[in-house]
Amino acid sequence: MSRLVLGPFNRVEGDLEVSLEVEAGRVRAAQVTAPLYRGFEGVLVGKTPLDALVFVPRICGICSVSQSAAAAAALRAAMGLVPAPNGE
């Protein structure tokens, strides 16, 4: 088995590295690492959980919709809610 490291790939915010374990010409395992710690999680410490819906979309000016959807999904999971099919 061999290990192949690809990257770093330059992204808008930090680098991205892909590590592949290759066996017999096929990828056996893959790992993606984004080593840049931006620390935005600390912004929410001490805030009401629903404040995440206000703060999180403002983390990035490019991907605010995906950040908002991720925050809503995390809140939904934390509260144990199951959305109606048309709400999904």
Side-chain angles (χ1 to χ4, degrees), residues 7 31 46 52 55 59 67 74 78 80-81:
Q31 180 179 6
F55 288 100
I59 289 172
Q67 298 286 0
L81 301 175

Side-chain angles (χ1 to χ4, degrees), residues 19-30:
S19 298
L20 303 174
E21 289 183 17
V22 181
E23 187 174 330
R26 297 190 67 142
V27 175
R28 178 181 173 153

Side-chain angles (χ1 to χ4, degrees), residues 3-82:
R3 181 182 171 132
L4 177 63
V5 178
L6 307 172
F9 298 102
N10 193 346
R11 304 177 308 149
V12 174
E13 291 294 337
D15 293 333
L16 181 73
E17 180 179 279
V18 178
S19 298
L20 303 174
E21 289 183 17
V22 181
E23 187 174 330
R26 297 190 67 142
V27 175
R28 178 181 173 153
Q31 180 179 6
V32 176
T33 305
L36 177 67
Y37 174 73
R38 294 172 57 190
F40 287 111
E41 299 84 351
V43 172
L44 297 174
V45 173
K47 305 271 191 306
T48 302
L50 292 178
D51 285 348
L53 298 173
V54 174
F55 288 100
V56 170
R58 289 160 175 80
I59 289 172
C60 178
I62 297 172
C63 54
S64 59
V65 173
S66 59
Q67 298 286 0
S68 181
L75 288 168
R76 178 180 71 222
M79 291 188 266
L81 301 175
V82 178

